[in-house]
Amino acid sequence: MNLNRGRALTSIPGPSVIPEDVLRSMHRSFPNMYEGPLVDISHSVFDDLPKVAHTEGKVFMAISNGHGAWEMSLTNTMRRGDKVLVLASGRFAIGWGEQAEQLGCEVETIDFGDRGPVDPDRVEERLRADTAHEIKAILVVQIDTASGVWNDIGAIRKAIDAAGHPALYMVDCVASLASVPYFMDAWGVDITIGGSQKGLMVPPGLGLVWASEKALKAHETAEMVTPYWNWTPRLMDGAHYLKFCGTPPIQHIYAMRTALDMLFDEGLENVWARHTVFADAVRAAVEAWAAPGGFELNITDLAHRSDATTTILGGSIDCKEMRRICETDAGLVLGVGLGSFEDKAFRIGHMGHLNPPMVLGTLGTIEATLAHMGASMGGSGIAAASRVIAEALGRKAEFRAAAE
Ligand SMILES: *Cc1c(COP(=O)(O)O)cnc(C)c1O
């Protein structure tokens, strides 16, 4: 029977649910785009975005998605033939590395597989061996959206320092920023990559790049600079249109202002704590469902299971059919398995504008669908998830430190 009426819910790892206030702030006719309130609001967004990454560095906003932000980071800092070290733990660092290769960098990848994190000791060992300092940049993802792994960005920094290596440290936080703790300056990160549509709760369309002093220095001798992405005009004081290399993304600027206000009102630490609760609820559900031949959390080490997105291996359960029933008959959209996972896994996004009815609704719909399919299930996931939420309702907010 088809029960799919009412408000559909999309529980994928981005784009995430857009808050009504953010949507409403976009619904307006065009203001003067050369001066006045829009330009003031835009400047305030440029001033406030570094607070989200905990940096004193600069932020660049481009009309693009995360892939565009990747390209902006590489073209503005690299020289043709530069060696780039990619630390892979899923699909996303690999994709960024593929861009580097297409742009003319030499790419070396250390693949840590897609069920666990980057191992800082192996990074240190590789960097120590690079005595000529041929490696110019290290690319890693904080949370890989395909595998659901949460890498320890501070520990990788320590490994780079222990090897005394000067490479630029570049971190993709598209799936993690404003969902889990991130301290760009304290962790000595030179480039941070973000996108508007995940933890930042804004529709897709803004690619974000934060740059340290060292990254801006590298820009001065970069050889791959192209007109649109070029940081130089975007850094100039003066006409606002230079910041976006043309017409600004007016509606997105209003949306980002509203989203930042919401994040600061709640407090970033409370935002992170809320993400931990919902992630714990999802994990508790999956572990309760687990049965021989049934579901399993992809990331084996609890400390490295991400608080923004979870990848679940299907075992003998047909994930594609499960997702189809959820979507068609119940109005719940779940994330597909990416890369090597394909139909062997599915993903639940639990980032951004979320509350218990949304998380429990997602888990309850999955549980009902599993029961309908006659899938092997150990116990009630929804009961386990409710216990996590009940416990959280009874205590103070507490965020989980970066995986260590
Ligand atoms: C979503 C995502 C991207 C890509 O962003 P697009 O906006 O789809 O280009 C890059 N990295 C990570 C970790 C992501 O989750």
Side-chain angles (χ1 to χ4, degrees), residues 56-403:
E56 302 282 319
K58 290 273 176 206
V59 67
F60 299 93
M61 277 192 270
I63 299 178
S64 82
N65 53 17
H67 283 71
W70 281 348
E71 187 166 335
M72 179 187 254
S73 70
L74 295 166
T75 54
N76 276 290
T77 56
M78 294 289 105
R79 298 159 67 86
R80 246 163 273 287
D82 273 355
K83 189 164 197 170
V84 167
L85 182 66
V86 172
L87 308 176
S89 55
R91 182 65 204 120
F92 284 86
I94 293 175
W96 195 5
E98 285 166 356
Q99 275 198 356
E101 188 150 27
Q102 284 173 39
L103 286 165
C105 292
E106 190 192 322
V107 173
E108 177 181 325
T109 303
I110 309 181
D111 195 342
F112 295 88
D114 48 21
R115 298 204 64 184
V118 169
D119 173 5
D121 291 341
R122 272 180 67 195
V123 176
E124 181 183 334
E125 191 187 320
R126 176 64 191 94
L127 293 177
R128 275 187 195 280
D130 181 33
T131 48
H133 295 164
E134 283 175 356
I135 294 167
K136 300 299 179 203
I138 299 161
L139 272 48
V140 70
V141 171
Q142 188 181 23
I143 288 180
D144 187 288
T145 326
S147 65
V149 80
W150 183 358
N151 284 313
D152 188 339
I153 300 306
I156 298 169
R157 171 80 254 172
K158 284 188 193 138
I160 299 168
D161 288 346
H165 203 287
L168 289 174
Y169 186 25
M170 303 194 183
V171 181
D172 173 340
C173 295
V174 177
S176 53
L177 204 72
S179 296
V180 304
Y182 183 72
F183 302 99
M184 177 168 172
D185 289 359
W187 293 339
V189 177
D190 294 301
I191 298 259
T192 299
I193 302 292
S196 50
Q197 77 273 25
K198 298 190 183 173
L200 290 168
M201 310 181 290
V202 168
L206 288 182
L208 308 170
V209 180
W210 289 256
S212 71
E213 281 296 324
K214 189 167 152 187
L216 294 175
K217 190 88 194 141
H219 175 60
E220 290 171 12
T221 52
E223 271 181 358
M224 297 176 177
V225 179
T226 55
Y228 179 70
W229 303 113
N230 191 358
W231 283 348
T232 302
R234 291 170 185 265
L235 281 169
M236 292 194 319
D237 290 328
H240 177 260
Y241 73 85
L242 292 173
K243 295 224 164 287
F244 287 99
C245 193
T247 304
I250 294 172
Q251 267 64 21
H252 278 73
I253 291 171
Y254 285 109
M256 188 62 88
R257 181 67 266 160
T258 305
L260 289 172
D261 289 343
M262 291 176 68
L263 289 171
F264 297 148
D265 279 353
E266 185 177 356
L268 281 175
E269 297 191 354
N270 294 323
V271 172
W272 301 333
R274 184 165 49 79
H275 279 76
T276 298
V277 172
F278 295 149
D280 278 341
V282 169
R283 290 186 285 254
V286 177
E287 289 189 317
W289 288 327
F295 283 167
E296 186 189 347
L297 291 165
N298 179 51
I299 300 302
T300 45
D301 177 357
L302 168 64
H304 291 281
R305 289 174 180 159
S306 117
D307 281 356
T309 164
T310 296
T311 300
I312 298 147
L313 300 176
S316 60
I317 298 170
D318 183 345
C319 292
K320 194 173 176 185
E321 178 64 1
M322 194 262 311
R323 282 192 300 100
R324 188 195 67 75
I325 295 169
C326 282
E327 183 166 346
T328 311
D329 296 341
L332 172 69
V333 181
L334 294 166
V336 297
L338 285 184
S340 60
F341 294 107
E342 288 218 37
D343 292 334
K344 292 186 297 202
F346 73 101
R347 296 173 306 147
I348 300 176
H350 33 87
M351 54 177 61
H353 192 55
L354 277 191
N355 60 17
M358 294 160 83
V359 175
L360 294 172
T362 297
L363 297 171
T365 304
I366 294 171
E367 184 161 317
T369 303
L370 290 176
H372 153 68
M373 290 170 73
S376 53
M377 243 194 301
S380 170
I382 198 73
S386 301
R387 280 194 293 275
V388 171
I389 301 229
E391 188 267 338
L393 288 171
R395 63 168 165 82
K396 279 212 234 157
E398 221 178 281
F399 69 88
R400 198 173 154 211

